[in-house]
Amino acid sequence: MMPLAVAHGARSALIPMLAALLGIIIFLVDTLTPLDMAVAVLYVAVVMLLADVLTRRGILAVGALCIGLTTISFFAVHNVRFELEAVARAIVALSAIGIVTLLSLRNRHSSESLRDQAALLDLTHDAILVRDASDTLLYWNRGAEELYGWTADEAVGRNTAELLRTGFPISREAAAVELERHGRWEGELRHTRKDGARVTVASRWSLRRDAQGRPLAVMETNNDITERKASQDRLDKAQAELVHVTHMATLGQLTASIAHEVNQPLAAVVTNGEACLRWLRRPSPDVGEALASVERMIANGRRAGEVVARMRALSRRQADRQETVDLSQLVRESLALVERELTRHHIAVELDLADALPVVTGDRVQLQQIVINLAVNAVQAMEGAPRPRRLKLRTRALEWAEGEAARLDITDSGVGADTEAMSRLFEPFYTSKPDAMGLGLSISRYLVEAHGGVIEATLNSDRGMTFAVILPAAKEQSL
């Protein structure tokens, strides 16, 4: 089969020959035959044949030539006898040739303008294609050739979805409905290149309608985001790994407290189990006391299970579990995990927890991690400080820029920090303590900001520091 470009070239060379032959035949018939009709009107066919292959100057020259041939034929046939009917026929023929020549010039100008505009579309690196209502390709720019591998001659006239094997994030029907309703559609598509490789594109569709409002054509602009998509996937994976690493980094700080917390209920289970046996081994078994011991065993076993569940949640790679949390209750639960540290360092805890506090939305384990990290940091800050050593935790509601919020203040009576330390408090791996990792505060800030909140540190007027955590209230409360 002859290539399209070769066939187009052959046709372009054949048209002038046909037009010239037709012009000669019309001239001979008009000059040599005594027909009482405007044969010269047929010259318009010559002009129309050459309108697509000549420049505007060439079209004008052909029109002038046809007018000249018509004039020559008129004088050759009628000599000096200018009959009214003959003159009228000549005027009709000349007018027709002139009008067609002018229309051809106008059409040529429009065609050249369209080609110039299409050439501008070829300058963009985006793939631009136009398809009709039946999804048949009408236009295929150079960017589409570079992206997909098919030339315009190979692509135009084919079905778009079949050529590119389009994969939609939603169904094709849903995209068509949105396009019909809004006149545009945007989304990511998966296409197949000529070499079989799959590419991801950010696609934008614009619908053109006719005068009656019916869909006429769709212009589709596709931007190759395959590499960007792959980079984003790698970044998301790296961020997930970082979150996991930050979780694992805090396990060392929590190990002693968690072990102590687990040992307490386990020891209570053993003690209550032994007591239950003693009640049952009496000559007259005391069933009531035995049942009470068993109930205490069950309660302590559940408590140990909750601690283990928190430990597993911190060490597993899993999506954050969102739930509504009472910040005051969370503080009470978190302090139980650091009770051993507080007792060992002779720290008195003062609680000022609001009852009517807006609940916040977040991952309970991560929010506990914030409180534990800040409490452990306060304990370390008070190590070596003169007594009394006090740790105050206060919760309250406040109006924030984002709306209603809950605030937690954790105040210690430690040694405070100098100017340089205050500016670097939340930097990863920065610490003034030789046996610390310097991750607690940076992880706390990361988790607070991940929950849409802020964390601040200020020096107290007497001694020590106060860390303030502000978390936005759950959205449901503002509805």
Side-chain angles (χ1 to χ4, degrees), residues 124-347:
T124 180
H125 294 292
D126 293 341
I128 300 177
L129 49 104
V130 178
R131 46 190 171 83
D132 62 16
S134 63
D135 204 32
T136 301
L137 283 166
L138 305 176
Y139 176 75
W140 186 267
N141 79 330
R142 187 175 301 168
E145 292 181 348
E146 295 175 354
L147 176 58
Y148 298 114
W150 286 283
T151 64
D153 290 336
E154 293 173 325
V156 171
R158 298 184 62 177
N159 182 275
T160 310
E162 293 178 358
L163 177 68
L164 300 177
R165 286 183 274 172
T166 307
F168 288 83
I170 56 177
S171 66
R172 179 178 178 82
E173 291 73 17
V177 168
E178 184 174 344
L179 179 67
E180 175 70 21
R181 181 182 299 131
H182 302 292
R184 60 185 181 276
W185 180 85
E186 294 185 11
E188 292 183 5
L189 300 177
R190 293 277 290 168
H191 285 156
T192 302
R193 292 168 40 89
K194 185 178 182 180
D195 59 9
R198 295 286 283 176
V199 294
T200 303
V201 297
S203 187
R204 298 178 298 279
W205 297 359
S206 299
L207 177 63
R208 181 184 178 188
R209 302 179 185 273
D210 60 17
Q212 288 73 37
R214 293 171 298 190
L216 185 64
V218 177
M219 185 176 77
E220 182 176 328
T221 304
N222 296 329
N223 181 24
D224 185 8
I225 59 170
T226 306
E227 287 300 324
R228 188 195 314 166
K229 189 73 174 175
S231 298
Q232 184 63 46
D233 291 342
R234 290 192 294 267
L235 178 60
D236 292 342
K237 184 178 179 181
Q239 289 177 338
E241 292 290 340
L242 178 60
V243 171
H244 175 65
V245 169
T246 59
H247 287 175
M248 295 300 294
T250 60
L251 291 180
Q253 299 179 11
L254 298 177
T255 298
S257 297
I258 292 176
H260 173 71
E261 183 67 12
V262 172
N263 283 334
Q264 281 185 335
L266 291 180
V269 168
V270 174
T271 301
N272 284 290
E274 293 173 346
C276 180
L277 288 177
R278 286 196 300 270
W279 292 117
L280 292 176
R281 286 172 178 170
R282 282 188 170 190
S284 297
D286 193 333
V287 177
E289 291 291 345
L291 289 176
S293 298
V294 172
E295 289 174 355
R296 289 192 293 270
M297 291 169 59
I298 293 172
N300 282 284
R302 287 175 177 170
R303 182 184 173 194
E306 290 174 358
V307 174
V308 172
R310 295 191 191 105
M311 181 75 169
R312 293 179 62 191
L314 282 172
S315 60
R316 279 203 309 259
R317 282 187 184 91
Q318 61 180 22
D320 297 342
R321 184 175 60 186
Q322 299 294 311
E323 57 182 300
T324 55
V325 177
D326 184 311
L327 194 56
S328 294
Q329 180 62 31
L330 183 81
V331 170
R332 295 186 182 95
E333 295 173 359
S334 303
L335 285 179
L337 293 174
V338 293
E339 181 182 358
R340 178 174 175 272
E341 287 294 310
L342 297 172
T343 302
R344 187 165 65 90
H345 289 83
H346 307 288
I347 294 173

Side-chain angles (χ1 to χ4, degrees), residues 371-418:
V371 178
I372 292 171
N373 283 355
L374 295 178
V376 170
N377 180 77
V379 170
Q380 293 174 347
M382 289 185 283
E383 187 174 0
R387 297 184 183 182
R389 300 170 187 167
R390 293 188 178 89
L391 176 63
K392 181 177 180 180
L393 295 95
R394 179 190 181 199
T395 59
R396 57 190 174 93
L398 68 124
E399 289 297 326
W400 197 30
E402 305 296 329
E404 197 173 17
R407 172 170 176 150
L408 166 65
D409 291 331
I410 298 181
T411 303
D412 64 66
S413 58
V415 296
D418 56 24

Side-chain angles (χ1 to χ4, degrees), residues 54-56 107-117:
L54 297 179
T55 63
R56 282 182 288 176
N107 182 66
R108 185 66 181 182
H109 176 72
S110 299
S111 299
E112 289 178 351
S113 297
L114 289 175
R115 278 197 293 270
D116 291 341
Q117 293 174 10

